[in-house]
Amino acid sequence: QAQLAEFGGGSVRPGGSLSLSCAASRDTYMSKCLGWFRQAPGKEREGVALIYTGNGNPFYADSVKGRFTISQDNDKNTVHLQMNSLTTEDTALYYCAAGRPRGSWYRCILEDVDKYSGWGQGTQVTVSS
């Protein structure tokens, strides 16, 4: 079972920025897909941004490309998500989770929600004017 702890989130006006962090145990962090999913009220959980910690390759949902940046800190076994130009559509409960990459290219598949583990309580991101 993946061991993860989520930090960050909060409330911001449209156009603002927030950041999230996800700290993992060493075993959970090594050569895994780590990152963020979100669930808005009445909607299904969806992948937002993942990073393969083995080589640092990021994977983003189309809805956040160009606005969100995921990064990793190997010294702290931590993944960060910088969220800029936030809109009301980004309002959701954000969860960090870990999973395995797919294929010889080590791709992290955002749609593989059910294949990820370590779901915590989530951290709320609210974008409102």
Side-chain angles (χ1 to χ4, degrees), residues 25-97:
S25 64
R26 186 67 174 167
D27 287 344
T28 297
Y29 183 85
M30 292 298 292
S31 299
K32 297 289 196 311
C33 292
L34 280 183
W36 298 92
F37 297 78
R38 68 186 180 189
Q39 188 165 17
K43 294 188 176 181
E44 292 188 354
R45 193 169 295 185
E46 62 175 359
V48 176
L50 295 168
I51 191 166
Y52 175 55
T53 59
N55 59 20
N57 280 349
F59 300 84
Y60 297 100
D62 288 343
S63 60
V64 307
K65 280 181 183 175
R67 300 188 299 121
F68 290 13
T69 302
I70 192 168
S71 61
Q72 63 186 78
D73 183 338
N74 293 336
D75 291 336
K76 298 181 179 178
N77 299 336
T78 299
V79 171
H80 302 286
L81 184 67
Q82 178 64 39
M83 304 181 291
N84 298 329
S85 301
L86 286 160
T87 75
T88 55
E89 296 296 310
D90 297 314
T91 295
L93 196 57
Y94 283 67
Y95 298 89
C96 181

Side-chain angles (χ1 to χ4, degrees), residues 95-113:
Y95 298 89
C96 181
R100 295 190 179 278
R102 279 215 251 160
S104 56
W105 292 97
Y106 299 98
R107 296 187 63 80
C108 301
I109 308 301
L110 291 158
E111 290 77 12
D112 281 352
V113 179

